[in-house]
Amino acid sequence: MPGDRRNRRRPRRDGTSPLQLVAIASVLLGLVLISLRLLPGSPLESIAAARWGDVPDTTSRGGEATSTDRSSRPTPSPSPSPDPLPFDLTSTSIDVEIDGWYGWSVMDTRSGEIIGSKNMDETSTTASLIKAWIVADYLRRADEAGDKPGDGKLNDATLIIRDSDNLRTERLYTEVGRAASIKRMIKICEMTDSSVADDKGWSRTNLSPRDTTRLGQCIADGRAAGPEWTDWLLKEMRLVRGSGDFGIRKAFSAKVGKTIAIKNGWVDRIDEQEIHVNCLAIGEDWTMGVMLRYPINRGYEYGMDNCEKVTDTLLRRP
């Protein structure tokens, strides 16, 4: 009967009702699920990790590493080392017997590093070597002014570079401002040792072996002749011929030598009773300068041969 108390469920002897048991079981089940989500290897683990902001386990059930496993990520390949220069510069002391003064310098144009003889900061007069700058200065300034040199001017520049024509050099030197042009060279090419010869002319410009390599870099990177004329100038310097074709590039094979741009200088200084011979070369990733002074009775070929000999001594051997 509805009012019969005997039909009602009686509480357990421990005082816990069935509803309370259900609640306790739900709590316990929740704790079990949480434990499973935090247990390493559990399928629920990655969900928990994502929720808590932790890095999830990166190992799949099959034991293979996933794309996020640091141990399985490919190690980045180191940057390849640059090709070595053709010179062995482990020692700056070379064994060349020369009757007189000489200095040399090599620049790695990729890094700007300069290595040379202990006296690579000492200066000597450039003679015709400086013609490379005079032509470059003229071409850059013409382009900056919006002018294009005519065929006559370009022919003059060609003869100055290839054949070292002195009369054409003197006219062009005057046109670019004479000593003012040398001052621009020192500033633009960031030279530290060289100086202007004032009214003594372009041949008496004072340059060091170290600054000679800087002049080479200045020509190669476009600062000297400007972007419009740099390739043209380098091509002309590769075509130097006749008596001016000696020195640094002669130490290389004929095939390599054709790729090297040069400008050399040679002059007898009567007042000093000396001959000054200078060599500038621009190769792939490097520039080089060699300068010599020696007794006048030795003749030009003595300096020309020794410029090549200094280079040959520095070349890297197979």
Side-chain angles (χ1 to χ4, degrees), residues 25-36:
S26 299
V27 171
L28 291 175
L29 179 59
L31 292 173
V32 170
L33 290 174
I34 291 173
S35 299
L36 285 173

Side-chain angles (χ1 to χ4, degrees), residues 31-49 57:
L31 292 173
V32 170
L33 290 174
I34 291 173
S35 299
L36 285 173
R37 293 167 76 178
L38 299 177
L39 184 65
S42 166
L44 300 177
E45 179 196 5
S46 62
I47 300 174
D57 181 41

Side-chain angles (χ1 to χ4, degrees), residues 112-134:
E113 180 183 11
I114 299 175
I115 296 176
S117 55
K118 292 181 180 179
N119 62 349
M120 66 178 176
D121 60 339
E122 296 180 15
T123 63
S124 189
T125 64
T126 63
S128 293
L129 183 151
I130 200 65
K131 293 172 181 176
W133 166 259
I134 295 171

Side-chain angles (χ1 to χ4, degrees), residues 242-294:
S243 58
D245 184 13
F246 63 85
I248 294 171
R249 75 176 177 188
K250 293 296 185 180
F252 293 80
S253 68
K255 180 179 179 180
V256 175
K258 292 178 180 179
T259 69
I260 298 174
I262 65 168
K263 192 72 190 89
N264 297 320
W266 63 104
V267 65
D268 53 341
R269 299 293 186 202
I270 304 299
D271 291 345
E272 294 92 334
Q273 284 295 291
E274 293 177 337
I275 289 181
H276 295 192
V277 172
N278 310 295
C279 301
L280 163 66
I282 303 170
E284 184 178 1
D285 300 327
W286 59 269
T287 63
M288 184 174 185
V290 181
M291 308 186 80
L292 305 98
R293 294 194 305 265
Y294 53 88

Side-chain angles (χ1 to χ4, degrees), residues 107-268:
M107 175 189 285
D108 185 336
T109 55
R110 298 166 298 187
S111 65
E113 180 183 11
I114 299 175
I115 296 176
S117 55
K118 292 181 180 179
N119 62 349
M120 66 178 176
D121 60 339
E122 296 180 15
T123 63
S124 189
T125 64
T126 63
S128 293
L129 183 151
I130 200 65
K131 293 172 181 176
W133 166 259
I134 295 171
V135 170
D137 194 34
Y138 165 74
L139 292 171
R140 187 195 70 259
R141 286 164 56 83
D143 185 57
E144 290 173 349
D147 298 331
K148 184 174 181 179
D151 292 341
K153 280 291 187 182
L154 290 179
N155 182 63
D156 285 349
T158 290
L159 294 176
I160 290 171
I161 296 298
R162 296 191 194 183
D163 298 325
S164 209
D165 187 290
N166 286 336
L167 291 176
R168 288 177 169 83
T169 300
E170 185 65 24
R171 289 200 298 264
L172 194 62
Y173 184 58
T174 298
E175 187 170 341
V176 295
R178 301 187 70 82
S181 176
I182 305 304
K183 291 177 182 179
R184 284 192 294 271
M185 176 189 72
I186 293 171
K187 180 179 180 180
I188 291 172
C189 300
E190 301 179 11
M191 296 179 175
T192 57
D193 314 317
S194 303
S195 61
V196 180
D198 296 325
D199 60 347
K200 295 180 180 180
W202 49 265
S203 178
R204 284 279 184 175
T205 300
N206 295 297
L207 206 65
S208 68
R210 179 167 61 182
D211 279 350
T212 300
T213 67
R214 288 172 174 148
L215 174 57
Q217 183 197 35
C218 196
I219 293 172
D221 67 20
R223 284 175 292 158
E228 181 67 23
W229 292 102
T230 293
D231 289 344
W232 183 92
L233 178 57
L234 287 170
K235 183 193 74 173
E236 294 299 315
M237 293 174 69
R238 294 186 186 104
L239 296 174
V240 168
R241 59 199 174 191
S243 58
D245 184 13
F246 63 85
I248 294 171
R249 75 176 177 188
K250 293 296 185 180
F252 293 80
S253 68
K255 180 179 179 180
V256 175
K258 292 178 180 179
T259 69
I260 298 174
I262 65 168
K263 192 72 190 89
N264 297 320
W266 63 104
V267 65
D268 53 341

